[in-house]
């Protein structure tokens, strides 16, 4: 056989069904494609005018009109842009995937106006119209002097017809879609309006929608009143139609020219959120890629709202999609915002984005900008930063858990509320407490339930931080992994060492006394509690308290999590609790005397059980049977008091 090189030929007949089915996952987008082509045609014409290569004859009102006609089953897109000559129609329309936009950009790339970029890229957008049409017709008149207007028609096969156009005699293009029977929804004005609003809200050219079957509004006479009360008739013009889009979205403006009010207005308008955002970041990058946008930190009224962010992605002001994880890191999707990135292809497919280096650069850049803003707020507006913290902590913590690189950038600004209500960094906390408990961070995760311990901490002049956000369990483990040596301990964990409440090893009398107390409780409580320790607490009023070993509590928590997923190890990972009995407490002292008298065993047992329950309640809610017993005992107690 002879060696041969050749081109694999692609037959349009084969490619049509592919375009129809696979190119776009969403039928709606044909509207976006056709309108972006119309806007492109207008931008191109404007550019030629500004370069002196075309003449608009003083008419500088540019617009795109979308016109539905349910009776005729047509949908028209009318623009007064650059138009096409016969030759151009053949070149740009007949050659699928030969993008006229790329061609134009190639030619004019050195003369581009700032900010007005061409949307098209792939030369496939136009053909998306065949997803919903039996026939597509183009009537177009080029801006070029002496050019003849052209009609092009095609019914979805590979054959087309080209002839002079009777319909279009002024500069621009009219695309007429003959909507097929499966797609009649696109003949509903409200539906078309909705789609335009979704994809084209920020296109740079005004877009109008009209219904050909609705009678045009005529000027009407209205009755008005003179100052003296007499009436007169006045001819009132109908209200001028309003464009559906905002041609100058705020992100296009330079950050220094935007006011707070404008940012808030834009937020309200785009996200329909009437709570004010906390703050925002205006992204504006030209190098090494183009990126503009505004990211808002929303105020959360409930924590669960944090899962409801929305970041809209645009390409040259054309909406592409919401919440694209490949471009905007997942944890940033908790925010609300708009990102415009002309360097991304419009008809993005996810697998394409995942492998695109440019995309990951963009994503990293966004993360960096967000981190910078947070650090800046921390350094320069600490008061405000503290105020925002309750709302933004879930976002920051989630960000750290998802992306350790984000953590590296913002670790210095993670703050904790301490028992005095101040916000301190981890470093501040460790530094302030290093004499008392080096590298240990004490925390409370339920201020109400743990109030007794908090009170005790204050009595001992110790400090703890409040960690009550739903991610904190994970965040604590994360910090322990990333901050060498730092250990988090809940406020009810093994704190005897820190409190210094253990009895002096050399004090034999005290030790003997402790032994007696321990003995007393052991006999009275039996197997109600495993570990007992007798110590001297500062607060004489508290007879006893429960401590839970941090390690065992975490293990128990984990095994509970596993149990949810079907694995269980009953009894293996129970929390290890210790009852610390306070030898400074008067009741305990008295109890020992009574115990030694040996006459009142039942009463001693009764009181020991009650002391245990009170300690338990101060630590955690009682379970049902414990509660039953506790109430019963309380009632007995009342009757004993009254009988005295
Ligand atoms: P792309 O927009 O990616 O270039 P399309 O398939 O959407 O590809 O369009 C193909 C080409 O057809 C455009 O680049 C443009 O040259 C031409 N075209 C489409 N619509 C219009 C229009 N309304 N006015 C002028 N030219 C148009
Ligand atoms: Mg296009």
């Amino acid at each position: 056989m002879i060696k041969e090189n050749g081109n694999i030929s692609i037959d349009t007949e084969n490619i049509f069904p592919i375009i129809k089915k696979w190119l776009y996952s969403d039928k709606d987008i044909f509207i976006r494609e056709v309108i972006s082509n119309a806007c492109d045609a207008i931008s191109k014409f404007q550019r030629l005018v500004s370069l002196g290569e075309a003449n608009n004859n003083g008419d500088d009102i540019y617009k795109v009109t979308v016109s539905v006609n349910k009776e005729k089953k047509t949908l028209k897109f009318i623009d007064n842009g650059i138009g096409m000559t016969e030759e151009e129609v053949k070149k740009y329309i007949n050659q699928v995937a030969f993008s006229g936009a790329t061609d134009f950009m190639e030619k004019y790339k050195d003369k581009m106006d700032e900010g007005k970029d061409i949307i098209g890229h792939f030369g496939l957008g136009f053909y998306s119209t065949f997803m919903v049409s039996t026939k597509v017709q183009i009537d177009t008149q080029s801006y070029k002097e002496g050019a003849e207007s052209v009609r092009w028609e095609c019914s979805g096969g590979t054959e087309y017809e080209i002839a002079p156009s009777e319909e279009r005699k002024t500069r621009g293009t009219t695309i007429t879609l003959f909507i097929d029977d499966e797609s009649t929804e696109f003949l509903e004005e409200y539906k078309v309006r909705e789609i335009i609003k979704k994809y084209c809200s920020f296109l740079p050219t005004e877009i109008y929608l009209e219904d050909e079957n609705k009678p045009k509004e005529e000027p009407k006479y209205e009755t008005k009143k003179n100052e003296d009360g007499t009436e007169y008739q006045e001819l009132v013009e109908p209200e001028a139609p309003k464009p559906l889009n905002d041609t100058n979205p705020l992100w296009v403006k330079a950050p220094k020219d935007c006011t707070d009010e404008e940012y808030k207005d834009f937020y309200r308008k785009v996200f329909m959120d009437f709570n004010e955002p906390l703050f925002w970041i205006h992204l504006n990058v030209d190098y090494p890629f183009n990126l503009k946008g505004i990211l808002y930190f929303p105020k959360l009224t409930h924590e669960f709202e944090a899962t409801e962010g929305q970041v809209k992605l645009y390409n040259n002001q054309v909406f592409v999609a919401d919440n694209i994880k490949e471009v905007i890191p997942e944890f940033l999707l908790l925010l609300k915002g708009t990102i415009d990135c002309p360097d991304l292809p419009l008809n993005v497919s996810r697998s394409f984005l995942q492998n695109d280096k440019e995309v990951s650069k963009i994503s990293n850049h966004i993360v960096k900008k967000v981190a910078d803003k947070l650090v800046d707020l921390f350094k320069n507006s600490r008061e405000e930063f503290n105020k925002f913290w309750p709302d933004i902590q879930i976002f920051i913590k989630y960000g750290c858990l998802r992306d350790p690189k984000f953590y590296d950038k913002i670790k210095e600004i993670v703050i904790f509320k301490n028992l005095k209500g101040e916000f301190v960094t981890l470093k501040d906390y460790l530094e302030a407490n290093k004499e008392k408990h080096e590298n240990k961070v004490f925390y409370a995760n339920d201020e109400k339930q743990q109030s007794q311990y908090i009170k005790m901490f204050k009595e001992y002049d110790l400090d703890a931080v409040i960690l009550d956000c739903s991610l904190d369990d994970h965040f604590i483990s994360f910090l322990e992994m990333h901050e060498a040596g730092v250990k988090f301990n809940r406020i009810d964990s093994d704190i005897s060492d820190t409190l210094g409440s253990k009895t002096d090893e050399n004090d034999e009398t005290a030790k003997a006394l402790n032994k007696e107390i321990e003995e007393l409780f052991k006999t009275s409580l039996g197997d109600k509690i495993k570990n007992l320790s007798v110590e001297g607490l500062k607060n004489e009023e508290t007879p006893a308290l429960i401590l839970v070993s941090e390690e065992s509590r975490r293990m128990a928590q984990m095994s509970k999590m596993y149990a949810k997923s079907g694995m269980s190890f009953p009894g293996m990972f129970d929390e290890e609790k210790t009852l610390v009995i306070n030898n400074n407490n008067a009741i305990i002292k008295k109890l020992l005397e009574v115990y030694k008298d040996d006459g009142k065993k039942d009463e001693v047992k009764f009181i020991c059980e009650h002391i245990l329950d009170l300690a338990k309640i101060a630590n955690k809610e009682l379970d049902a049977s414990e509660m039953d017993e506790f109430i019963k005992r309380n009632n007995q107690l009342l009757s004993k008091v009254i009988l005295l």
Side-chain angles (χ1 to χ4, degrees), residues 365-415:
H365 185 83
I366 296 175
V367 173
K368 184 177 173 302
K369 282 287 167 192
V370 170
D372 286 351
K373 172 74 183 189
L374 291 168
V375 172
D376 174 68
L377 262 176
F378 176 86
K379 287 197 176 139
N380 300 316
S381 323
R382 182 63 193 271
E383 284 282 300
E384 261 189 307
F385 186 82
N386 291 351
K387 210 171 71 204
F388 295 153
W389 183 255
D391 283 294
I392 62 174
Q393 60 165 336
I394 185 147
F395 156 80
I396 292 185
K397 289 173 180 173
Y398 185 55
C400 294
L401 294 171
R402 298 306 300 222
D403 180 359
K405 271 193 279 175
F406 179 68
Y407 174 66
D408 284 340
K409 294 193 178 84
I410 54 107
K411 62 177 168 195
E412 307 288 331
I413 66 158
V414 172
I415 52 175

Side-chain angles (χ1 to χ4, degrees), residues 37-38 41 44 79 82-84 92-93 99-101 120-126 173:
N37 282 350
K44 287 174 191 170
D79 69 66
I82 193 169
M84 283 179 276
Y92 298 134
I93 300 295
S99 170
H121 269 309
F122 282 119
L124 286 173
F126 172 73
T173 303

